[in-house]
Amino acid sequence: MKTRLILLLLLLFSVVAFGQKMPSDYFQEAHDYFEEGKLDKALAGYMYIVENHPRNELYPRALNNAGYICLLQKKYKKAIEVFSLILNGNQDEREPSGGNIMASPYANYCHWAACHISDCYYELRRYDSALCYWALADTVYPFLSDCGNAYAENDIHTSLHYADIYQKLGQPDKAIEKLLPQVFNTGLADNSKILTELKKLLAGKRKLPEKLDQAIDNVYLKTFTSNYGDYERYCIQWLGVEIRYPFRPFNSTDYNKANVMKWMRESDFYQMVSNMKR
């Protein structure tokens, strides 16, 4: 299983208990049990909130953590049931996670639920379903963060897992297609695993260095549209895949065709391909 599991902690809600046991008390007890390794008791605590306090603000957090524990216990079918409740809910994806901002300040409930359902199907060797939910996590419920490093790390992780699933499905060309957009280092995250995996998948293919040189010679500038407006990137077409060269603020004034061609040929990706059989 190649994912990152997220256990959401208790937020500091303002409640006055007046001696009555509140959902936050059950949540804290469940967390304490989890920390002690008493997973069954932790699961029971979170499920108590899920089953008895569906309108409480802690409900989606308890639901996420219950699914997390089921996944840890390899109760994959139960975990799918629990995480599916999140996908059918109306929780706020941007609810503060209480975690490290370098990962994401947001809970990303649906994103992680779709990821974890994909992981469950992967472990059950139902790779078509694993692919379906991984695509949902990537497109319908995209990862949200305020950190460029977190986005870059997520892009690499997402591509690697796509490639893994496609290989399990016996579709290596699709795996290559998913890895190629991440071959140029953004400077925000380590992409060495992308190159390692790609090298294995490309072994035996002919004339790759020549084709890459030809692609770089034909580099072109293209305009893209995002939620933040239009932007331009230099791109190449290689093995039927459009590959963008990342823009870096520190060399923004030098981001031109001649320099991008130079940087491409200085990249670890170019060196890897150049060392392959011609």
Side-chain angles (χ1 to χ4, degrees):
M1 186 186 306
K2 299 179 180 179
T3 191
R4 294 163 289 183
L5 300 179
I6 304 297
L7 181 73
L8 296 175
L9 304 180
L10 177 67
L11 291 178
L12 297 177
F13 295 108
S14 297
V15 294
V16 181
F18 298 108
Q20 182 181 359
K21 198 168 184 179
M22 304 295 289
S24 57
D25 297 317
Y26 287 104
F27 193 102
Q28 186 61 55
E29 285 179 0
H31 175 69
D32 292 342
Y33 281 132
F34 180 85
E35 290 295 305
E36 294 168 6
K38 300 176 181 178
L39 299 186
D40 287 335
K41 289 187 175 182
L43 179 59
Y46 289 129
M47 288 305 297
Y48 178 85
I49 297 171
V50 169
E51 293 167 357
N52 295 280
H53 298 280
R55 296 185 179 180
N56 188 271
E57 51 204 340
L58 283 171
Y59 173 83
R61 200 161 287 250
L63 197 58
N64 176 88
N65 291 0
Y68 173 95
I69 292 172
C70 289
L71 193 51
L72 287 180
Q73 293 181 320
K74 300 183 179 181
K75 299 175 181 177
Y76 300 123
K77 293 182 180 180
K78 179 62 177 178
I80 290 170
E81 292 177 8
V82 173
F83 286 123
S84 293
L85 292 174
I86 294 177
L87 295 185
N88 294 324
N90 60 355
Q91 58 283 326
D92 181 9
E93 290 292 280
R94 293 184 178 272
E95 180 183 302
S97 68
N100 186 342
I101 195 171
M102 288 298 288
S104 175
Y106 307 122
N108 281 295
Y109 287 115
C110 287
H111 172 76
W112 290 120
C115 285
H116 296 333
I117 292 174
S118 174
D119 290 328
C120 289
Y121 281 123
Y122 183 97
E123 294 300 326
L124 294 169
R125 300 185 180 182
R126 294 177 57 182
Y127 301 118
D128 284 331
S129 295
L131 178 61
C132 176
Y133 278 93
W134 196 250
L136 283 176
D138 183 30
T139 58
V140 179
Y141 309 114
F143 176 72
L144 300 174
S145 180
D146 293 331
C147 176
N149 298 75
Y151 273 121
E153 289 175 2
N154 184 71
D155 287 344
I156 289 170
H157 173 74
T158 298
S159 296
L160 286 167
H161 199 53
Y162 265 127
D164 185 20
I165 296 173
Y166 274 122
Q167 288 180 79
K168 290 291 191 296
L169 288 168
Q171 300 180 46
D173 287 343
K174 281 287 188 179
I176 292 171
E177 181 182 318
K178 287 298 183 180
L179 294 172
L180 283 177
Q182 305 300 326
V183 294
F184 292 120
N185 196 317
T186 63
L188 297 174
D190 180 12
N191 73 335
S192 59
K193 290 183 179 178
I194 294 284
L195 300 185
T196 298
E197 194 63 29
L198 195 56
K199 184 176 181 180
K200 292 186 292 185
L201 289 166
L202 292 175
K205 292 187 178 292
R206 299 181 60 192
K207 298 185 178 180
L208 294 180
E210 293 89 342
K211 291 177 181 178
L212 182 55
D213 273 320
Q214 184 179 16
I216 294 175
D217 288 339
N218 291 310
V219 67
Y220 55 92
L221 188 64
K222 182 176 178 179
T223 300
F224 297 90
T225 300
S226 74
N227 293 334
Y228 303 100
D230 294 343
Y231 63 96
E232 293 182 326
R233 293 292 182 271
Y234 283 99
C235 308
I236 61 172
Q237 283 279 347
W238 194 62
L239 302 184
V241 178
E242 183 173 75
I243 307 173
R244 306 178 198 179
Y245 191 83
F247 178 84
R248 302 179 187 178
F250 64 81
N251 61 20
S252 58
T253 58
D254 298 326
Y255 193 81
N256 56 57
K257 183 175 181 178
N259 280 335
V260 167
M261 292 172 68
K262 174 176 174 288
W263 295 333
M264 285 181 174
R265 289 192 165 100
E266 291 174 347
S267 69
D268 291 338
F269 167 61
Y270 183 85
Q271 296 305 315
M272 180 199 79
V273 174
S274 297
N275 290 329
M276 299 183 77
K277 186 176 181 180
R278 293 180 176 268

